[in-house]
Amino acid sequence: MRKLSLSFFCLLWLLPCFAQVDIKDFDTKDFPKVSFTLKSHNPDVYTSNQIRLFEEDSLVAVTDFASTGAPSVPAIKNVLFMWDLCGQSSFVQELLSDFFSGMDATYQASDSLKVNVAVFMRDEEGKPVYASLLPKFTSDLEEMRNSIIAESEKELTNNSSASDIVWALKQALSQINNQPIGEAKAIVLCTVGKNNFSSGFEITPLVNQARENRILIYVVNISGGEADETFCQELSSRTYGLYLLSDGSFDTKKSRKEENDAALKSKKPIKHPFLFEESEALNAWVNNLPQRWAGNAYRVEFNSRFKKDGQAKQIKVQLGDEVGSKTYDVPKYTFGNWIKDHLILFLILLFVAVAGIATGLFFLIRYLRDVAADKREEEKKKEDEQARLKSEQEELRRKLNIAENEQRKLLQKEKAREKAAQRQEQLDALNALMRSRNIKARLLVSTMTGASEYLVTSAENTIGSAEDNDIVVDDKTVSRHHAVLYFNGQTFCIRDLRSTNGIVMNGFKMDDMKLRNGDSVSMGNAVLKIYF
């Protein structure tokens, strides 16, 4: 049975000195007019009377201030509760349990809210420990509430330090950043007891990581000391979150408790679902989370009071309770600025310069044109001379080729004559040998049309179907100059003259072979038989 006490809401504030807006996208092209964009995670839209602008600590008038709207607000909210299991853990359990009871009524049959709770502490060996109660974010708030009740029953003896908080927040940032892109993400850090935070503890890297990943941090500091407050306030405000301070005291308000118990038993809507004022603040912040996560963008324009000197100037913005500052570069005084200030003198100088340049260009073009013409003429003479020399060389080369060809032909004719003379001498010697020895051969030629007989008395006899052969064979299968029958000094031989059908003897083609008395050879369809 939950305690019937109600906590006393001690203090709930925002710290304007830490609240910030993002200043970005400076435009100084039309200097001294300067425009820039700033972004605030305050869900309320600011008006022009809520902005004050300082340039190097001097107030300047804003000439244009307009809201450019907010990005699309996500439908799904991811909230990771971080629970420091030290000090008054029972109070944190009551706070979160009541919060989830209220969420049951607000988010019935809806998965737009996904939550998880992680606890951190030091174990028996004094090492920091971080653990999620559930393996993933869930919309089942009853399951989450039961996990919180079970976890709060643990007994703890070691206190957390500032380094534990920062270390655990790094783990939490990594865990919630794994949720889908485009869904609102926030961390609620519940820290209890006096953690003895150092006032100089550096949290800038942690803040930069949270802001880079657009993760808001809400700190609930229960019974903290002065150092705790400074640390937690800065952590929340610099990440566009909120800060809640409570001393964890209990105050009984039976009427509201009894009404809520009766409503829960009858399963009717709870008129006021929270038992603690802190839960109400948490509920309001979570309901407003998507708009705060998306933020609002504004376009601001003002006229700078500085001259163009190329120096960096600081600008400070107070947007409601939020404060931001940034430096921007003032453009240098350029030649374009001088032209605007001395327009007539510039036009006169420009005319003189243009006239001088035009005159110089005129004479330069004429000179270059004459030089180009002389160069073209010289190149033409060189080309003509080269063409003449080339023509003479080609004519000389042609004559040399003709002379070489004639010389080659004469040599070939001389060699042919010598070869013919040698051959004739051989034939004469063979013919003389045949006459002296009375060597003769009788050649029988059989064709499809008949048979013929030839008496061979000379050393060389051509055979073919042409009329100029010594032995004419009237057959179409016999080539015009088919073979030659010759005497080699010992016997008769026959040699193929590269005929179409060749010389066949005993089924084999022969190029050159010796003949014996009575041998038969085939040439196409003709058959030759020799006797000697």
Side-chain angles (χ1 to χ4, degrees):
M1 183 69 178
R2 196 161 38 190
K3 296 180 180 180
L4 300 178
S5 304
L6 295 175
S7 72
F8 176 74
F9 180 63
C10 297
L11 181 61
L12 174 62
W13 70 58
L14 293 172
L15 295 181
C17 60
F18 289 117
Q20 297 180 357
V21 290
D22 276 337
I23 304 174
K24 56 182 72 175
D25 302 332
F26 275 101
D27 183 8
T28 59
K29 294 180 181 179
D30 195 20
F31 198 83
K33 182 183 292 185
V34 180
S35 64
F36 63 92
T37 302
L38 59 87
K39 185 176 180 181
S40 167
H41 284 267
N42 190 329
D44 299 326
V45 179
Y46 289 104
T47 58
S48 58
N49 60 356
Q50 292 176 287
I51 182 171
R52 298 184 74 198
L53 186 64
F54 296 85
E55 193 178 38
E56 294 288 340
D57 296 327
S58 296
L59 184 65
V60 294
V62 175
T63 60
D64 185 30
F65 175 79
S67 171
T68 58
S72 59
V73 177
I76 298 178
K77 314 168 189 178
N78 294 274
V79 181
L80 174 62
F81 292 91
M82 290 181 60
W83 183 356
D84 183 359
L85 286 179
C86 299
Q88 302 182 34
S89 59
S90 60
F91 182 84
V92 176
Q93 186 269 335
E94 292 284 351
L95 169 66
L96 297 184
S97 183
D98 284 336
F99 170 78
F100 286 116
S101 294
M103 289 295 100
D104 280 338
T106 307
Y107 291 94
Q108 288 180 354
S110 171
D111 59 354
S112 62
L113 175 65
K114 296 191 294 186
V115 295
N116 202 340
V117 175
V119 294
F120 63 97
M121 69 205 88
R122 280 187 176 269
D123 59 16
E124 295 178 354
E125 297 179 358
K127 296 181 180 179
V129 177
Y130 176 92
S132 296
L133 301 191
L134 294 177
K136 63 179 181 179
F137 284 71
T138 180
S139 299
D140 189 345
L141 303 183
E142 181 64 26
E143 177 186 10
M144 182 57 65
R145 181 167 47 249
N146 294 335
S147 300
I148 293 171
I149 294 173
E151 189 67 27
S152 65
E153 295 175 353
K154 295 181 179 179
E155 294 183 1
L156 301 166
T157 57
N158 296 314
N159 291 327
S160 300
S161 65
S163 61
D164 295 337
I165 299 290
V166 174
W167 176 83
L169 276 172
K170 289 181 180 179
Q171 315 307 313
L173 287 171
S174 177
Q175 179 184 359
I176 196 170
N177 196 44
N178 291 328
Q179 292 300 102
I181 297 174
E183 296 181 0
K185 302 178 182 69
I187 296 174
V188 177
L189 168 62
C190 298
T191 177
V192 296
K194 298 184 182 299
N195 296 291
N196 298 319
F197 292 115
S198 171
S199 58
F201 200 84
E202 181 58 49
I203 63 171
T204 298
L206 186 67
V207 169
N208 291 341
Q209 182 182 355
R211 293 178 66 173
E212 179 181 353
N213 294 290
R214 299 177 67 189
I215 299 174
L216 283 61
I217 299 179
Y218 187 164
V219 179
V220 180
N221 189 14
I222 304 170
S223 298
E226 183 178 348
D228 297 343
E229 296 178 26
T230 303
F231 177 87
C232 295
Q233 289 167 353
E234 182 177 359
L235 179 62
S236 281
S237 60
R238 289 181 62 185
T239 57
Y240 301 112
L242 289 180
Y243 172 65
L244 173 63
L245 175 64
S246 174
D247 63 359
S249 62
F250 297 88
D251 184 22
T252 303
K253 293 185 180 178
K254 294 184 179 179
S255 59
R256 190 168 62 176
K257 170 73 169 63
E258 292 172 355
E259 290 178 5
N260 291 331
D261 287 343
L264 288 172
K265 289 180 180 179
S266 61
K267 297 183 179 180
K268 294 181 180 180
I270 301 175
K271 181 178 181 182
H272 194 294
F274 301 102
L275 300 179
F276 297 94
E277 297 287 351
E278 289 84 347
S279 298
E280 295 179 9
L282 269 176
N283 175 256
W285 187 77
V286 170
N287 285 332
N288 212 14
L289 173 61
Q291 180 62 56
R292 186 177 294 277
W293 181 85
N296 288 294
Y298 303 88
R299 182 180 179 277
V300 184
E301 184 179 291
F302 70 98
N303 293 321
S304 177
R305 60 186 180 87
F306 295 108
K307 298 294 183 181
K308 293 186 175 182
D309 56 5
Q311 300 298 316
K313 307 297 181 183
Q314 186 183 45
I315 189 171
K316 180 180 178 182
V317 174
Q318 289 184 356
L319 189 62
D321 291 332
E322 300 182 82
V323 177
S325 64
K326 195 173 183 179
T327 58
Y328 72 96
D329 295 326
V330 175
K332 291 183 178 180
Y333 190 76
T334 62
F335 182 64
N337 302 125
W338 183 88
I339 292 175
K340 291 181 180 179
D341 297 338
H342 308 85
L343 183 59
I344 296 178
L345 177 60
F346 172 75
L347 292 176
I348 294 174
L349 293 175
L350 181 63
F351 175 78
V352 173
V354 171
I357 293 173
T359 303
L361 288 175
F362 173 75
F363 287 105
L364 178 62
I365 291 172
R366 288 193 59 180
Y367 169 75
L368 294 176
R369 185 177 59 187
D370 294 341
V371 170
D374 293 342
K375 186 177 181 179
R376 285 195 298 271
E377 185 176 356
E378 184 68 22
E379 289 177 351
K380 189 175 184 308
K381 289 181 180 180
K382 289 182 180 180
E383 290 176 358
D384 293 343
E385 182 66 18
Q386 291 176 354
R388 184 184 65 80
L389 292 174
K390 186 177 180 180
S391 177
E392 291 179 355
Q393 291 175 354
E394 290 178 353
E395 181 64 22
L396 179 61
R397 191 179 295 109
R398 186 183 66 81
K399 290 180 179 180
L400 288 174
N401 290 335
I402 292 174
E404 290 177 355
N405 291 334
E406 291 178 352
Q407 183 67 23
R408 192 180 299 108
K409 289 179 180 179
L410 288 174
L411 290 175
Q412 290 175 351
K413 288 180 180 180
E414 185 66 25
K415 288 181 179 180
R417 283 196 297 269
E418 291 178 357
K419 188 174 181 180
Q422 292 176 358
R423 180 62 180 162
Q424 188 61 44
E425 288 179 2
Q426 292 176 356
L427 289 175
D428 292 344
L430 290 172
N431 286 328
L433 179 62
M434 290 178 66
R435 286 194 298 271
S436 64
R437 295 182 179 181
N438 195 24
I439 297 174
K440 298 178 182 179
R442 186 164 57 88
L443 183 66
L444 297 179
V445 179
S446 301
T447 64
M448 300 292 293
T449 58
S452 301
E453 184 177 345
Y454 295 92
L455 182 63
V456 180
T457 60
S458 60
E460 186 175 87
N461 303 271
T462 58
I463 305 172
S465 60
E467 293 295 334
D468 58 349
N469 288 288
D470 297 320
I471 299 172
V472 179
V473 180
D474 186 14
D475 194 295
K476 293 182 179 180
T477 60
V478 177
S479 299
R480 290 178 56 80
H481 299 90
H482 199 110
V484 59
L485 179 67
Y486 65 93
F487 181 72
N488 63 359
Q490 295 178 355
T491 186
F492 285 93
C493 302
I494 189 168
R495 182 173 67 249
D496 184 32
L497 297 178
R498 296 181 180 178
S499 62
T500 301
N501 294 316
I503 301 172
V504 179
M505 184 176 183
N506 297 327
F508 296 96
K509 273 191 175 184
M510 311 294 287
D511 292 331
D512 195 349
M513 61 182 175
K514 294 180 181 181
L515 297 174
R516 293 176 299 178
N517 186 31
D519 281 347
S520 297
V521 295
S522 299
M523 293 188 299
N525 294 328
V527 178
L528 282 71
K529 193 168 185 178
I530 187 168
Y531 298 95
F532 55 87

